[in-house]
Each structure stands twice: as C-alpha cells, then as structure tokens.
Amino acid sequence: MNIKNISNMDNSGQGAAEYILLFGGVIVIAIFALLIYRHYMERSENSLTAGDDIMDVRTSVDNNRTKWGE
C-alpha cells in the first residue's frame, strides 16, 4: 500500500461523522426549544387547553350570531 491510499482511507468516514454531529446539534437545539416552550405554557396565566379554546370559539360564534340577528 502506498501513502496516497492510506491518507484517502483516513478521510473516508469524515463526511458521515460531520452529518452525525450536525444532526445531533439540531436535536439538542430542538429539545432546548421544547423545554422553553413547555416552561412558557406552564407559567401562562391564561387557560391553554383545547377544551377551553373550543368553548371560547363556540361562545364567540354564538355572540356574533345574536349580534348580527341570525
């Protein structure tokens, strides 16, 4: 084996390793963002449940119907 083949073999897995590191970094950032979002939702003063949101929409629609005489 000559020296050119040895140096080529050393760099053959570098691209895959860089993609793995990049993907790992994206996952870490996504987890961090989800933790911040969860913390924000838990500390919110308003009710943020789907059931309450549906009731708010229904109340708003009913109010608009009576307001416009339908």
Side-chain angles (χ1 to χ4, degrees), residues 9 12 14 18 30 32-33 35 40-41 55 59 62 68 70:
M9 287 174 38
S12 63
Q14 183 175 354
E18 289 174 356
F32 185 68
L35 289 174
Y40 171 75
M41 291 301 234
M55 290 304 296
T59 303
D62 288 341
W68 296 102
E70 291 180 6

Side-chain angles (χ1 to χ4, degrees), residues 6-65:
I6 293 174
S7 66
N8 193 18
M9 287 174 38
D10 289 341
N11 295 331
S12 63
Q14 183 175 354
E18 289 174 356
Y19 280 121
I20 290 170
L21 288 173
L22 181 65
F23 187 65
V26 169
I27 290 174
V28 168
I29 291 170
I31 290 172
F32 185 68
L34 287 173
L35 289 174
I36 290 174
Y37 182 71
R38 184 179 74 174
H39 180 71
Y40 171 75
M41 291 301 234
E42 288 175 351
R43 296 194 64 203
S44 177
E45 295 175 1
N46 298 331
S47 176
L48 296 173
T49 58
D52 292 339
D53 290 343
I54 290 170
M55 290 304 296
D56 289 342
V57 169
R58 286 181 180 165
T59 303
S60 176
V61 169
D62 288 341
N63 288 341
N64 285 337
R65 283 182 184 167

